[in-house]
Amino acid sequence: MAVKLVVCAPYYETATFLWSPFLKGWVAKELRKRCVEPVVLWGNDCIPDKFAAAMVDPETKGVLGVGHGSDSEFTGQGHSTLVKVGMLIPKEWKDDCFAPVSCLVGKRLLPYLIQQGVPCGLGEVTEYWFTAMGTVTDGLDPEEDPLLKYFLYAEYTFWYRLAEGATAGEAYDVMIEEYKRQAEEAKKVDSTTWWCLQVDWQNRKFFGDRGYRLPPAPERVLTKTTVTVTAERQPTRKRDVIQVAGRVEAEDGTIPMGWVRVKLDGREDQVPLDSDGTFATSFTVYWEHNIDTTYTVKVEYEGWRKEKCYVPSAAATSVTVKSTRSHTSTKITKIEAKREDDTVHLTIEGEVKDADDKPVVGGEVEILVWDDFPAREYVKTDEKGRFSVKMAALAGWLETLFSVHACYKGDDLRMPSCDKKYVKFPPNWKVILTVLGAAAIIIALIFIAITVTGG
């Protein structure tokens, strides 16, 4: 028979936003590793009807998680009451350990539950305090939140030890020591976190039978997950097709059952294992630009707990899809230039060809004429892959050197390419002589003026 634990994970305000993702992620994963099946009541599933249904399952042996509370009640999503003093306790609860994280439930609610036949539990006799950075992503690793992690590592020591076969009293003692140890670690980082941990362990009390144990889990069998990934780029359809295949193997040679979760860049597919332990799926990813792209695929086998307990395992691998764009060559074939005073008029011609020396038709080419004041134009190649453009650029009256750039921009099938040439213009002697002549006249007039004044 499987051993199940109900995990209350409401998700509707700040405290539950911070804590509950780790219940659905890390805590559930760690329980499965210990051959205990978490029944996660996430968000809107953490309501009275669904909680009651999960609790009367004969395989359910405990309650953990988080929820707001008072001295007389424990609540779920939207502060809906899940358990309260005075309620009729079903007979199925008589072998369940009740130990969610919740303020004040140790004052009256836990003693009431023990009085009604619940074997044991944990409860805070004051408020439960914690700190967090709010940096959680998927909740699979406590290290995602550098403050909340201290509370998670300490609190769930109780359930992990219980799942490993310890008595409730032994698990509680180890948990308290872990709270103290985590408090000392947190003291090096944040004094407020240290204070909260101190208050929590001092007020998190044990109620009931210290000798309580979870029923023995099925035979534990380690597994190994392997995965291979191939990818095909389909440039005309602007997409990549990623094929994922793999196998889950058991160390005792039997065939594991269950399913795997295959994750690719925020997307997820749940795939059942075939009769030989293999699995296969595919993803189609559409793209805008035909560039090298790396995909990382993660596969998580969540285990299976029936006659045997197949322990979860995981694997990850990456595949890079290379750009399928062909090389091109851009060539400036002709530059004609004519000076008119301080302006240069340019006619620029060229061509663009692909890797097979065939013309690139309709390709966009950027033409840039660069000196002190750059000029830019865009032009399309014709049916022969040629381009031509007329441009004007400013040129000073001294010697001027222009650089002319032609760059084909590329597209989904072809890579960009560029060419560059230089055009040099001699000094504008007409302007220079005019300036020098004017300067000579000015100098002569100044000399005459000085001479007359001096006389």
Side-chain angles (χ1 to χ4, degrees):
M1 184 176 77
V3 177
K4 297 179 181 178
L5 295 176
V6 174
V7 182
C8 295
Y11 191 74
Y12 66 99
E13 47 70 68
T14 302
T16 55
F17 288 157
L18 296 168
W19 194 289
S20 288
F22 291 102
L23 296 170
K24 185 173 69 168
W26 176 64
V27 172
K29 178 181 67 174
E30 292 298 318
L31 290 175
R32 291 190 182 101
K33 287 181 180 179
R34 292 161 173 83
C35 297
V36 172
E37 178 62 33
V39 181
V40 180
L41 301 181
W42 168 260
N44 289 328
D45 286 336
C46 194
I47 56 176
D49 289 348
K50 293 189 176 182
F51 176 77
M55 288 298 295
V56 298
D57 183 338
E59 295 182 331
T60 295
K61 301 303 174 185
V63 183
L64 64 148
V66 71
H68 287 288
S70 68
D71 63 348
S72 61
E73 68 175 359
F74 170 66
T75 69
Q77 185 76 356
H79 287 91
S80 57
T81 300
L82 303 181
V83 187
K84 66 179 180 179
V85 171
M87 71 178 286
L88 179 64
I89 302 301
K91 67 181 189 312
E92 289 85 1
W93 290 34
K94 302 302 174 64
D95 56 358
D96 295 350
C97 181
F98 186 89
V101 172
S102 186
C103 296
L104 300 168
V105 294
K107 295 188 73 173
R108 292 179 57 210
L109 181 60
L110 258 298
Y112 173 77
L113 293 177
I114 301 303
Q115 181 185 9
Q116 296 299 309
V118 172
C120 68
L122 307 182
E124 206 77 8
V125 296
T126 60
E127 287 80 7
Y128 186 93
W129 298 88
F130 71 92
T131 59
M133 292 294 290
T135 53
V136 60
T137 53
D138 55 12
L140 288 172
D141 186 351
E143 295 295 327
E144 294 174 15
D145 193 309
L147 296 182
L148 184 58
K149 68 178 184 179
Y150 299 111
F151 302 87
L152 297 171
Y153 286 137
E155 176 63 27
Y156 295 105
T157 295
F158 175 79
W159 286 101
Y160 299 158
R161 289 301 178 93
L162 206 59
E164 292 164 2
T167 67
E170 292 167 343
Y172 174 75
D173 292 342
V174 174
M175 181 196 75
I176 294 299
E177 291 305 312
E178 186 64 17
Y179 263 103
K180 295 177 182 179
R181 192 183 75 82
Q182 292 294 335
E184 292 306 308
E185 290 295 318
K187 192 174 184 180
K188 305 171 186 176
V189 177
D190 180 68
S191 60
T192 302
T193 300
W194 169 82
W195 180 87
C196 291
L197 288 159
Q198 292 281 6
V199 171
D200 291 341
W201 77 255
Q202 292 174 31
N203 292 284
R204 190 139 180 79
K205 303 301 183 181
F206 184 91
F207 297 84
D209 180 11
R210 288 180 57 89
Y212 172 86
R213 294 180 189 268
L214 290 177
E219 177 189 353
R220 189 170 183 266
V221 181
L222 296 178
T223 66
K224 178 183 179 182
T225 297
T226 56
V227 60
T228 58
V229 179
T230 59
E232 176 192 4
R233 175 148 293 181
Q234 299 176 349
T236 58
R237 306 178 78 171
K238 291 190 173 183
R239 70 181 191 182
D240 295 332
V241 178
I242 295 90
Q243 302 284 348
V244 182
R247 179 186 297 272
V248 180
E249 300 174 280
E251 67 172 0
D252 66 351
T254 57
I255 305 298
M257 296 180 288
W259 59 87
V260 293
R261 294 187 185 276
V262 184
K263 300 179 181 181
L264 171 68
D265 298 337
R267 302 168 62 180
E268 182 177 308
D269 190 13
Q270 183 169 300
V271 186
L273 296 179
D274 290 335
S275 58
D276 59 353
T278 61
F279 61 89
T281 188
S282 65
F283 296 89
T284 299
V285 180
Y286 290 88
W287 40 259
E288 294 184 7
H289 305 289
N290 192 340
I291 59 176
D292 291 359
T293 307
T294 298
Y295 298 100
T296 298
V297 175
K298 298 179 180 179
V299 178
E300 299 172 356
Y301 171 58
E302 295 197 346
W304 186 261
R305 287 151 292 281
K306 288 295 182 182
E307 294 79 12
K308 292 187 177 185
C309 171
Y310 292 103
V311 177
S313 57
T317 190
S318 298
V319 62
T320 298
V321 187
K322 294 292 186 180
S323 168
T324 56
R325 294 190 296 176
S326 63
H327 290 278
T328 63
S329 64
T330 297
K331 184 177 181 181
I332 299 172
T333 58
K334 181 180 180 181
I335 300 177
E336 291 183 350
K338 180 180 179 182
R339 180 194 285 274
E340 291 185 2
D341 297 328
D342 60 351
T343 302
V344 174
H345 296 278
L346 297 161
T347 299
I348 303 165
E349 297 178 1
E351 61 184 10
V352 182
K353 294 185 177 182
D354 63 17
D356 297 323
D357 205 35
K358 294 180 180 179
V360 173
V361 179
E364 184 178 61
V365 181
E366 178 187 41
I367 309 297
L368 180 65
V369 178
W370 186 269
D371 185 35
D372 292 335
F373 303 97
R376 179 184 282 107
E377 294 285 348
Y378 294 91
V379 64
K380 296 280 190 178
T381 57
D382 61 19
E383 66 278 2
K384 295 183 179 180
R386 298 172 182 170
F387 60 88
S388 177
V389 64
K390 294 182 182 295
M391 301 178 64
L394 294 176
W397 46 276
L398 299 177
E399 183 177 84
T400 304
L401 180 67
F402 288 103
S403 62
V404 179
H405 304 254
C407 287
Y408 166 59
K409 308 299 286 184
D411 56 28
D412 289 332
L413 301 178
R414 304 175 185 88
M415 297 182 69
S417 58
C418 295
D419 191 20
K420 179 172 68 174
K421 293 189 181 300
Y422 292 95
V423 180
K424 181 186 291 187
F425 286 92
N428 188 336
W429 290 112
K430 179 180 178 181
V431 174
I432 292 174
L433 292 174
T434 300
V435 171
L436 292 175
I441 293 172
I442 291 171
I443 292 171
L445 291 173
I446 292 172
F447 178 77
I448 294 172
I450 293 173
T451 302
V452 172
T453 303

